[in-house]
Amino acid sequence: MIAQDDLAHLGRAVALSRERMEANLGGPFGAVIVRDGAVLAEGWNEVTSTNDPTAHAEVTAIRRACQAVGDFSLAGATLYTSCEPCPMCLASAYWARISRIVYANTRDEAAAIGFDDAFIYDEMPKPPAERAIAMEHRPTAEATAAFAAWMAKPDKIEY
């Protein structure tokens, strides 16, 4: 059984999805990030209003939450989202160290209304040379040196 707090935060994510979609800010997607009972940030799809293909609800919420707490880690936080995260948003949640995701609509339901990311899910496990986007590995001494400099950097902030 879903907790009352979960229902309230998920309800807010769904409300954001509809409100912002009806305001022509983007697609019908909303997200809320909560940690220790406090809302850290809200986000909504802003792809078409900002001409930013990465401005999905979850990513905008993650950006705002990290800015609000002054840290790139959201460990211990829950991401409430109106829809199952796409591959980019899911990867962003992992990079942000989100501890839990609660979602309403599924990716199959999103596909049914024109937001089909199955192609991306299918592309990810393929070797780079077999993906639809041409990828070529061209190692350089400078690139190797940049990585070596990172490894040797005594004041690096690891993430």
Side-chain angles (χ1 to χ4, degrees):
M1 183 169 159
I2 190 164
Q4 197 62 32
D5 284 351
D6 283 344
L7 285 175
H9 295 307
L10 187 60
R12 178 62 184 150
V14 171
L16 280 168
S17 74
R18 181 132 187 189
E19 291 166 10
R20 299 315 197 261
M21 178 266 300
E22 288 178 348
N24 293 321
L25 295 175
F29 304 97
V32 177
I33 297 177
V34 177
R35 182 165 58 191
D36 299 326
V39 174
L40 301 181
E42 297 180 339
W44 49 90
N45 184 284
E46 299 179 34
V47 172
T48 57
S49 60
T50 63
N51 294 318
D52 178 354
T54 69
H56 289 200
E58 298 89 341
V59 172
T60 60
I62 288 168
R63 289 173 181 160
R64 289 178 180 133
C66 289
Q67 199 168 45
V69 301
D71 196 349
F72 54 80
S73 175
L74 297 174
T78 298
L79 168 62
Y80 296 91
T81 179
S82 62
C83 188
E84 181 178 357
C86 75
M88 176 184 68
C89 293
L90 182 58
S92 298
Y94 276 105
W95 277 113
R97 290 160 181 76
I98 296 281
S99 296
R100 182 170 169 249
I101 298 172
V102 178
Y103 62 93
N105 295 316
T106 67
R107 67 187 193 193
D108 291 332
E109 290 168 318
I113 64 162
F115 296 93
D116 190 356
D117 49 21
F119 172 76
I120 300 169
Y121 278 105
D122 293 343
E123 284 288 294
M124 297 305 290
K126 292 180 182 177
E130 294 177 19
R131 294 183 183 146
I133 295 176
M135 296 182 69
E136 299 177 17
H137 178 214
R138 298 286 185 251
T140 68
E142 294 83 4
T144 301
F147 272 22
W150 170 257
M151 287 301 297
K153 186 173 173 43
D155 61 343
K156 67 179 168 253
I157 299 173
E158 295 189 29
Y159 60 96

